[in-house]
Amino acid sequence: DEPTYFQLMKARGASMSPPAHPGFDAGTMLAVVGTYAQLQNELPHLPGVYLANWNSHDQVVLAGPTSAIEAAQSALQNKGYSVTRLPVAAAFHTPLVGHAQQPFAAAIHAAKFNSPSLPVYANATAQPYPSDPRAIQEQLSQHLLQPVLFTQQIENLYSAGSALFIEFGPRNILTNLVKNILVDRPHLA
């Protein structure tokens, strides 16, 4: 329900606070114009870097320790990739936010979940969440550490009949990603 949603949103934010260790690096993220396959081939040459988001057919987001992302940025630019450092507080969807997983999982397991009345798609699996509330909680408890499969999520939503995509926020980043994914197929974003 709505109050529980806001409670979990607050718990997620609180859990993401970095540990008070001197020199702790929560990492950062780098958007790269390139295909998923291209970046999968580059990853073995980018130590400490993870594929965090598969955003569209020609954009992925890499994440990792700040020094590893700085090295990746330079290496990928030298290979002709267009890259953009993202203004984020951490290397989300990687082990670098592992400190947040247990506290957030505890908040998820303490909350009351209901079966969805409509399909709700998880961006870590690109599939609808299960109907069993406990299975939803278990899946969500691992979400912070899993990559986002946005491209496949949009493809699966479209295959299931979704053709209207509305972005809430000050910019149109997700709208443009949907347009890239669905290209000339009938849809409204």
Side-chain angles (χ1 to χ4, degrees):
D1 61 19
E2 191 170 310
T4 304
Y5 170 76
F6 287 115
Q7 176 188 357
L8 288 175
M9 193 166 61
K10 184 177 178 181
R12 185 182 186 277
S15 70
M16 294 302 290
S17 297
H21 302 251
F24 177 81
D25 177 23
T28 192
M29 302 177 88
L30 181 72
V32 183
V33 176
T35 68
Y36 182 81
Q38 287 173 317
L39 274 299
Q40 283 286 59
N41 289 333
E42 298 291 352
L43 277 178
H45 311 291
L46 305 172
V49 174
Y50 300 87
L51 189 87
N53 299 63
W54 179 11
N55 279 350
S56 71
H57 292 302
D58 62 7
Q59 186 195 80
V60 299
V61 175
L62 303 178
T66 304
S67 60
I69 291 298
E70 288 170 351
Q73 181 174 356
S74 177
L76 292 170
Q77 282 175 323
N78 289 338
K79 289 185 173 189
Y81 288 94
S82 175
V83 300
T84 304
R85 282 281 291 277
L86 300 179
V88 296
F92 298 109
H93 302 288
T94 73
L96 274 78
V97 292
H99 64 278
Q101 190 271 329
Q102 287 299 324
F104 188 50
I108 288 169
H109 288 294
K112 181 183 182 301
F113 276 66
N114 302 308
S115 296
S117 57
L118 296 169
V120 177
Y121 282 69
N123 63 18
T125 66
Q127 300 296 323
Y129 279 100
S131 60
D132 175 37
R134 285 190 205 131
I136 296 170
Q137 287 172 305
E138 191 54 42
Q139 189 172 330
L140 274 175
S141 71
Q142 299 300 313
H143 179 259
L144 294 178
L145 305 177
Q146 297 172 320
V148 172
L149 306 177
F150 189 75
T151 301
Q152 193 59 50
Q153 182 180 14
I154 296 301
E155 291 284 2
N156 290 349
L157 282 161
Y158 191 80
S159 293
S162 296
L164 174 63
F165 299 88
I166 300 171
E167 177 172 1
F168 290 90
R171 298 178 59 200
N172 61 351
I173 293 168
L174 299 177
T175 300
N176 288 332
L177 293 176
V178 169
K179 289 177 182 179
N180 175 280
I181 294 164
L182 298 178
V183 192
D184 58 358
R185 288 177 274 177
H187 73 281
L188 181 61

